[in-house]
């Protein structure tokens, strides 16, 4: 037994074992680092994919909300032509609520887009006030052509925002 | 103090409109014009003999409405100042300057 130990010491097996141990430790360390790096980048990829999926859902929701607002505005134009003034105040206020909800539920809209929506909200408030005054006993009936010119301008604004959102998505 | 701020806002709106860096829109009411700044809409209107400035927030609530007689104490020229803003806003919303430029261009 003593002879065997003596041989190991004399032939430098201990040094070799130390070097081999060090190599194994270094390889193990490298494998661990690679493993950590891989799992980290996988987690980041998953996070990015989740973010992109969420953004796509929000964009789809914005596009759907805008489309329904534009449809409601087209309906308002038809009702103006039919001079259905009695039902208009409710339509205007419903449209305003839709536009307010678009703004409040999508904080990512940029300042320019928010300004366009904000001015549309104010325009529908003015339309409502004008028609309410007429319904309260005003003598002159509102001009459907003039009112539709204003509504068309609001549709154009929403289209501008919508196209910009769509092109950002592409 | 409060009206002083409003007057400062009116003067600033007038300057910006005059230099063309602020645009106005016509509204359903023929004597009311609208501009949007940040999250607020500002309206200038002529109602009877007075001029009114109205501020509406993003929740569609009127948060301020002031007329030139109310500002007279702070500024004796409040009427002239608001009338001047109203005229500039109307010209801007109707595109009067562009129309005059076009007409001048066609007869020169």
């Amino acid at each position: 037994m003593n002879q065997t130990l003596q041989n190991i010491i004399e032939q430098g097996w201990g040094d070799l074992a130390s070097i081999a141990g060090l190599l194994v430790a270094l390889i193990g360390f490298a494998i661990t680092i690679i493993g950590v790096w891989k799992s980290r980048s996988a987690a980041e990829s998953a996070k990015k994919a989740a973010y992109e999926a969420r953004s796509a859902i929000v964009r789809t929701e914005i596009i759907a909300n805008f489309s329904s607002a534009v449809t409601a505005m087209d309906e308002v134009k038809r009702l103006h032509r039919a001079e259905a003034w009695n039902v208009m105040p409710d339509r205007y206020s419903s449209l305003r609520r839709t536009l307010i909800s678009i703004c409040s539920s999508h904080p990512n809209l940029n300042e320019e887009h928010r300004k366009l929506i904000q001015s549309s909200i104010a325009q529908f408030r003015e339309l409502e006030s004008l028609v309410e005054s007429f319904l309260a006993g005003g003598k002159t009936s509102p001009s459907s052509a003039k009112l539709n010119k204003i509504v068309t301008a609001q549709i154009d604004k929403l289209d501008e925002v919508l196209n910009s959102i769509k092109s950002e998505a592409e | 103090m409060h009206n002083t701020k409003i007057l400062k806002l009116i003067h600033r709106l007038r300057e910006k409109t005059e230099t063309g860096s602020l645009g106005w829109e016509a509204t359903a009411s023929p004597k009311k014009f609208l501009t949007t700044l940040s999250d607020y809409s500002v309206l200038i209107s002529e109602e009877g003999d007075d001029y009114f400035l109205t501020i509406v927030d993003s929740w569609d609530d009127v948060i301020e409405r002031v007329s030139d007689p109310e500002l007279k104490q702070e500024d004796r020229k409040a009427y002239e100042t608001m009338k001047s803003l109203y005229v500039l806003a109307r010209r801007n919303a109707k595109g009067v300057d562009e129309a005059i430029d076009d007409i001048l261009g066609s007869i020169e």
Side-chain angles (χ1 to χ4, degrees):
Chain A
M1 179 67 179
N2 280 345
Q3 185 63 39
T4 313
L5 282 172
Q6 190 64 33
N7 282 343
I8 288 171
I9 291 163
E10 280 172 6
Q11 288 173 22
W13 287 108
D15 294 342
L16 283 174
S18 296
I19 291 165
L22 180 67
L23 279 175
V24 167
L26 283 174
I27 291 165
F29 185 61
I31 289 169
T32 306
I33 296 243
I34 290 166
V36 167
W37 179 77
K38 273 188 179 170
S39 64
R40 192 177 160 187
S41 74
E44 278 172 0
S45 297
K47 193 177 167 186
K48 195 180 166 194
Y51 175 78
E52 280 169 5
R54 200 168 51 237
S55 299
I57 292 167
V58 169
R59 248 191 325 268
T60 309
E61 203 180 277
I62 294 179
I63 291 167
N65 289 343
F66 270 83
S67 300
S68 81
V70 169
T71 305
M73 287 183 196
D74 282 329
E75 176 68 8
V76 160
K77 284 171 74 177
R78 276 192 289 279
L79 291 167
H80 282 164
R81 285 187 208 106
E83 301 194 335
W85 304 121
N86 280 323
V87 300
M88 294 319 299
D90 287 343
R91 300 294 178 125
Y92 298 140
S93 78
S94 157
L95 252 170
R96 276 170 31 223
R97 279 198 302 274
T98 304
L99 294 172
I100 290 169
S101 109
I102 288 174
C103 263
S104 58
S105 58
H106 302 299
N108 291 341
L109 285 169
N110 68 36
E111 197 188 335
E112 197 51 42
H113 293 165
R114 299 184 85 80
K115 274 171 75 175
L116 288 173
I117 298 169
Q118 174 68 30
S119 70
S120 272
I121 295 168
Q123 288 285 7
F124 281 104
R125 160 182 276 278
E126 288 311 307
L127 283 164
E128 187 174 343
S129 156
L130 183 89
V131 172
E132 286 282 19
S133 301
F134 169 67
L135 292 174
K139 287 173 188 166
T140 322
S141 167
S143 154
S144 59
K146 276 187 182 171
L147 300 198
N148 277 354
K149 193 178 165 188
I150 289 168
V151 179
T152 302
Q154 308 322 303
I155 292 174
D156 291 345
K157 283 179 196 169
L158 290 198
D159 273 341
E160 189 185 326
V161 179
L162 194 53
N163 289 334
S164 165
I165 291 169
K166 280 179 180 170
S167 65
E168 277 169 20
E170 284 164 8
Chain B
M1 176 60 189
H2 173 71
N3 282 347
T4 313
K5 267 192 174 177
I6 292 279
L7 278 163
K8 187 179 171 184
L9 172 67
I10 293 168
H11 282 287
R12 192 63 63 84
L13 289 171
R14 208 176 67 83
E15 285 165 21
K16 292 261 180 191
T17 309
E18 206 160 23
T19 57
S21 55
L22 182 67
W24 293 79
E25 293 174 41
T27 70
S29 313
K31 294 185 175 182
K32 198 178 270 190
F33 300 93
L34 157 81
T35 190
T36 309
L37 295 151
S38 184
D39 279 340
Y40 301 92
S41 292
V42 178
L43 295 113
I44 180 86
S45 56
E46 184 184 18
E47 297 174 34
D49 293 332
D50 298 328
Y51 291 94
F52 284 80
L53 186 93
T54 309
I55 302 173
V56 182
D57 69 10
S58 58
W59 295 97
D60 199 29
D61 289 325
V62 173
I63 56 168
E64 181 59 289
R65 183 170 151 84
V66 67
S67 67
D68 62 88
E70 291 169 65
L71 299 173
K72 212 172 177 177
Q73 205 175 350
E74 278 84 3
D75 182 0
R76 282 189 301 113
K77 291 186 173 177
Y79 174 82
E80 286 79 7
T81 308
M82 285 183 78
K83 183 180 179 181
S84 150
L85 174 60
Y86 174 83
V87 170
L88 285 168
R90 187 180 63 79
R91 288 174 70 100
N92 181 287
K94 302 268 182 191
V96 174
D97 288 340
E98 288 85 348
I100 293 172
D101 287 344
D102 271 3
I103 294 166
L104 282 172
S106 67
I107 57 174
E108 273 171 4

